[in-house]
Amino acid sequence: MRFLAGIGAFVLGALAALGRIAIFAGQTASHLVRPPFYSREFAQALLNVGYLSLPVIGLTTIFTGGALALQIYAGGSRFNAEAVVPQIVAIGMVRELGPVLVGLMIAARVTSSIAAEIATMKVTEQIDALVTLSTNPMAYLTLPRVLAGVITVPLLTGVGDIIGIMGGWLVATQTLGFNSATYLSNTIDFLQASDIWSSLAKGAVFGFIATLMGCYFGMASGRGAQGVGKATKSSVEAAAVLILAANFLLTGVFFST
């Protein structure tokens, strides 16, 4: 009975946490239609979430695309199917690896940064000061960051998809002996519009999850340095798990037969 009670307590705790996150997301979204809107904070969030994430996104996806080409070539050679490298690299990067890798990199870089920043503001009573100045912390801190994530992460996903495919192209043409024009032609002919739109839609959802988790755990952090550290760790863990879970659900929705 203790074992079953432990499972029940875990499930109830998880459901309660999801409920709190859902309420937090609803409160954040409600400020889209309630002024004021802090455009300066939004512009700064666009820079931090989007532009400054490009280097790590580019490096991650180009190496992944190159490694994917090598693996597919090695596996395909067992069945005399080496020619499928461009098609599989393209669909693998656009449908799955591109969005997921971008989402996880954003969780590692942006979610942790947002959680640490907001948690530190809470510890140093800067959030209390905002309330004293009649500034809603949700509108000033949370909404601009979440909105920036929803807008910029799909763009980062598109860039990551392209760079990942180019990584596979570089390896295939420079190492594996593929013809460049044929490789690119096969890639373009194989991809469909639904693959691209699903990738961008995943990016928007992952950007929402990553930034929301940073804001939620930052706002809910405990006092002191230990509270900041715990909030940062929990935010990245939650963002990574939810991104992978959302990827599974979205893949089933987009590509179920």
Side-chain angles (χ1 to χ4, degrees):
M1 293 300 294
R2 290 181 180 178
F3 176 73
L4 294 177
I7 295 176
F10 174 80
V11 172
L12 291 175
L15 291 176
L18 288 175
R20 290 191 295 268
I21 292 171
I23 292 172
F24 186 85
Q27 292 174 342
T28 300
S30 68
H31 288 284
L32 278 170
V33 294
R34 289 191 293 169
F37 182 74
Y38 299 94
S39 56
R40 184 175 179 180
E41 287 295 313
F42 176 62
Q44 185 65 41
L46 287 175
L47 179 66
N48 291 335
V49 177
Y51 180 74
L52 296 180
S53 297
L54 279 173
V56 67
I57 296 300
L59 289 172
T60 300
T61 52
I62 194 170
F63 287 124
T64 301
L68 187 60
L70 290 173
Q71 290 281 15
I72 294 169
Y73 185 84
S77 63
R78 301 177 185 177
F79 311 99
N80 295 319
E82 300 93 334
V84 300
V85 169
Q87 293 92 331
I88 303 302
V89 168
I91 197 170
M93 287 302 305
V94 174
R95 283 192 177 187
E96 285 298 318
L97 289 176
V100 171
L101 286 174
V102 170
L104 293 178
M105 288 300 102
I106 293 297
R109 182 188 176 276
V110 175
T111 304
S112 58
S113 174
I114 292 175
E117 179 184 4
I118 295 179
T120 302
M121 293 180 68
K122 183 176 181 180
V123 169
T124 56
E125 299 182 350
Q126 295 180 55
I127 293 179
D128 294 336
L130 288 175
V131 175
T132 302
L133 296 172
S134 300
T135 301
N136 191 306
M138 298 286 290
Y140 185 78
L141 297 174
T142 302
L143 179 62
R145 288 163 173 79
V146 173
L147 191 59
V150 173
I151 292 173
T152 59
V153 176
L155 300 178
L156 291 173
T157 300
V159 172
D161 292 343
I162 294 171
I163 294 176
I165 291 173
M166 289 299 100
W169 169 80
L170 281 173
V171 171
T173 56
Q174 302 302 315
T175 304
L176 305 178
F178 280 77
N179 178 269
S180 177
T182 303
Y183 187 99
L184 293 177
S185 177
N186 288 336
T187 298
I188 294 171
D189 292 341
F190 190 74
L191 285 176
Q192 299 178 352
S194 60
D195 299 327
I196 298 171
W197 287 114
S198 67
S199 181
L200 299 180
K202 284 185 176 183
V205 173
F206 298 165
F208 174 78
I209 291 173
T211 49
L212 185 73
M213 290 301 97
C215 294
Y216 172 77
F217 283 96
M219 290 286 192
S221 70
R223 298 291 182 176
Q226 186 176 5
V228 174
K230 184 177 180 181
T232 304
K233 179 189 69 174
S234 299
S235 67
V236 176
E237 292 173 347
V241 171
L242 289 177
I243 284 171
L244 294 174
N247 177 65
F248 173 76
L249 295 175
L250 292 173
T251 300
V253 170
F254 291 141
F255 304 111
S256 61
T257 55

